[in-house]
Amino acid sequence: MYESNATTDRERYVVKKNELIQRSKYILTAQEQKLLSLLISKIKPEDTELYVQEFDLRYICELFGIQVAGKNYKDLKDKLKAMRDKSFWITDPKTGKDSLCGWISSISISRSDMTVQVRLDPDLSPFLLQVKELYTMYKLKSVICLESKYAIRFYEILKSYSNIGEYTVELNDLRELLQIDGYSVYKDLREKVIDNSVLEINTKTDINVNYEPLRTGRSITHLKFTITKSKE
């Protein structure tokens, strides 16, 4: 008999090394990022490798607040396949070397009981296993509630700097981190991506964010974010 753990699992922690958050350049949909966070939240502190994880589709549907129906089975398969096919670049801060990594190494689905087995890519092990320093930790519910793919990515980046309380980034670097295609004009970037993301983060998560544009000459070239703990 199926028993739900969705409410409890929303309280699980997602733990990543800051390098994975701050130095990786990728684009995933909002649902793909949520599924990834769910998989990472299942890693135990004592784990020495990234094991195969098994879960029930009904559980996933409940966790993400969607109806259990035939289309959702196909949607989940499509999302997992898309994640399996995607790769991303991460830069080593010591050497400046760029390495190409994947998210998921294997997927299998049982048609009889609709269980799904997924294993995260072993290349992610240094960033996810036995993390003891220079890491970011947040509850799964902090990203489950966000709707925009940019808001989720923004949240992780800003959360990783929350111990410092501020984060200054050059606009071109921000576009590259978030893999933003378009919005070359600052006004469009601000209205379509930044303001919407900040609004979602401030109303739905555990941090509060404000920002100000910084100029080089007459042009806006950087953004300075101030990050504080949300009053819940």
Side-chain angles (χ1 to χ4, degrees):
M1 182 178 177
Y2 169 67
E3 294 184 5
S4 170
N5 292 313
T7 302
T8 303
D9 276 359
R10 285 172 178 264
E11 298 297 321
R12 284 181 177 272
Y13 284 99
V14 178
V15 182
K16 303 180 183 181
K17 287 203 75 170
N18 285 342
E19 290 170 288
L20 183 60
I21 296 172
Q22 298 172 356
R23 297 185 176 274
S24 56
K25 301 152 192 169
Y26 64 85
I27 183 165
L28 294 171
T29 68
Q31 288 287 34
E32 287 168 353
Q33 290 184 77
K34 291 175 185 181
L35 282 169
L36 181 63
S37 294
L38 171 65
L39 292 169
I40 294 172
S41 75
K42 295 285 190 177
I43 298 172
K44 298 184 178 71
E46 64 272 18
D47 285 350
T48 56
E49 64 179 280
L50 295 171
Y51 299 106
V52 173
Q53 299 185 34
E54 182 175 287
F55 50 88
D56 189 299
L57 180 61
R58 291 169 292 183
Y59 163 80
I60 297 297
C61 290
E62 182 180 359
L63 187 68
F64 296 125
I66 60 178
Q67 300 254 332
V68 179
K71 182 178 181 296
N72 289 326
Y73 292 116
K74 183 179 183 304
D75 284 349
L76 179 63
K77 289 173 69 176
D78 290 345
K79 286 180 173 63
L80 290 172
K81 182 181 184 304
M83 290 178 67
R84 173 65 178 82
D85 293 344
K86 287 180 179 178
S87 57
F88 68 98
W89 290 98
I90 186 165
T91 303
D92 187 314
K94 294 180 181 178
T95 65
K97 181 180 178 181
D98 291 328
S99 298
L100 189 64
C101 300
W103 295 110
I104 291 175
S105 65
S106 64
I107 305 169
S108 61
I109 299 178
S110 170
R111 293 178 180 273
S112 59
D113 58 9
M114 294 311 297
T115 57
V116 182
Q117 292 185 327
V118 183
R119 187 185 183 198
L120 290 165
D121 195 304
D123 285 344
L124 297 175
S125 297
F127 307 106
L128 301 177
L129 294 177
Q130 303 201 359
V131 177
K132 296 178 181 177
E133 60 181 8
L134 300 176
Y135 65 88
T136 295
M137 180 171 68
Y138 59 84
K139 287 188 176 181
L140 180 61
K141 66 181 181 182
S142 293
V143 295
I144 291 295
C145 66
L146 298 175
E147 297 177 12
S148 162
K149 64 182 179 182
Y150 294 126
I152 295 173
R153 186 77 174 99
F154 243 127
Y155 169 77
E156 281 201 334
I157 293 170
L158 295 171
K159 181 72 173 177
S160 74
Y161 287 96
S162 60
N163 62 319
I164 301 174
E166 63 179 48
Y167 169 56
T168 301
V169 61
E170 202 270 336
L171 285 178
N172 288 334
D173 289 342
L174 182 63
R175 288 189 176 95
E176 189 172 4
L177 274 175
L178 273 60
Q179 295 290 281
I180 296 172
D181 186 17
Y183 307 131
S184 57
V185 177
Y186 170 69
K187 179 177 180 292
D188 295 335
L189 179 68
R190 186 194 72 215
E191 292 178 352
K192 302 295 185 181
V193 177
I194 301 168
D195 286 348
N196 289 339
S197 297
V198 168
L199 178 62
E200 269 207 88
I201 290 168
N202 286 347
T203 56
K204 298 178 179 178
T205 75
D206 59 343
I207 59 174
N208 231 333
V209 178
N210 291 294
Y211 76 91
E212 61 175 315
L214 303 178
R215 294 179 181 272
T216 302
R218 295 185 177 182
S219 300
I220 295 173
T221 56
H222 294 72
L223 296 177
K224 180 179 180 181
F225 293 87
T226 303
I227 310 141
T228 57
K229 187 176 180 180
S230 177
K231 296 179 181 178
E232 296 182 301

